[in-house]
Amino acid sequence: DELSKLRVLQPEVAAQTAQLREECRAFVHKTAEFQKIVGSLTEVVDQLAKAAESEKMKAIGARNLLKSIAKQREAQEQQLQALIAEKKMQLERYRIEYETLCKIEADQNEFIDQFIFQK
């Protein structure tokens, strides 16, 4: 050739091959950069997914806690209603007993008055 070198390929083909080699290196470099970007994006998405899952679990836990508190309050309300009913029944028994005792007292006072007037 014109540089006095022994060449297997024509100078044009060799230049095209060298240019293709450089383009391939650039492509490989860009592909590696793209993979790094995709890798970092994947990491960010994974972190966000973990954070979202964590918040979801917290929300589920809070919801379950509220449900259990509501059930506890309902059970406590039922216990208090039962206690109120029991106390009302006891009050009614005491009222009836009081009325009965008042009648007995009145009868005894009447008997005492009659006994005193007979003497």
Side-chain angles (χ1 to χ4, degrees):
D1 68 358
E2 51 284 333
L3 296 175
S4 300
K5 290 189 177 181
L6 182 62
R7 297 199 182 247
V8 177
L9 297 174
Q10 295 178 3
E12 295 171 4
V13 174
Q16 289 176 353
T17 303
Q19 182 183 0
L20 181 60
R21 183 180 310 126
E22 289 304 316
E23 288 177 4
C24 287
R25 284 183 186 151
F27 178 76
V28 169
H29 179 70
K30 287 181 182 179
T31 303
E33 282 185 44
F34 179 73
Q35 286 178 342
K36 286 180 187 178
I37 292 170
V38 169
S40 64
L41 179 65
T42 302
E43 289 177 16
V44 169
V45 169
D46 286 344
Q47 290 173 356
L48 290 174
K50 286 178 184 177
E53 188 68 24
S54 174
E55 290 300 317
K56 178 180 165 185
M57 288 299 156
K58 286 180 186 177
I60 289 172
R63 183 178 61 196
N64 289 342
L65 180 62
L66 286 175
K67 284 182 181 179
S68 69
I69 288 172
K71 286 181 182 180
Q72 287 174 352
R73 285 190 182 186
E74 186 178 313
Q76 186 179 18
E77 181 182 355
Q78 288 176 354
Q79 288 175 345
L80 291 174
Q81 291 293 341
L83 184 62
I84 288 170
E86 181 182 329
K87 294 295 181 182
K88 282 182 179 179
M89 288 174 35
Q90 187 177 16
L91 176 65
E92 183 63 23
R93 282 195 307 269
Y94 287 156
R95 187 188 60 76
I96 291 171
E97 185 177 346
Y98 174 75
E99 289 175 358
T100 304
L101 289 174
C102 284
K103 281 183 183 180
I104 291 173
E105 180 185 21
D107 289 345
Q108 288 178 350
N109 284 338
E110 185 180 329
F111 177 75
I112 290 172
D113 288 343
Q114 286 177 0
F115 185 74
I116 290 175
F117 285 129
Q118 286 179 359
K119 283 191 173 189

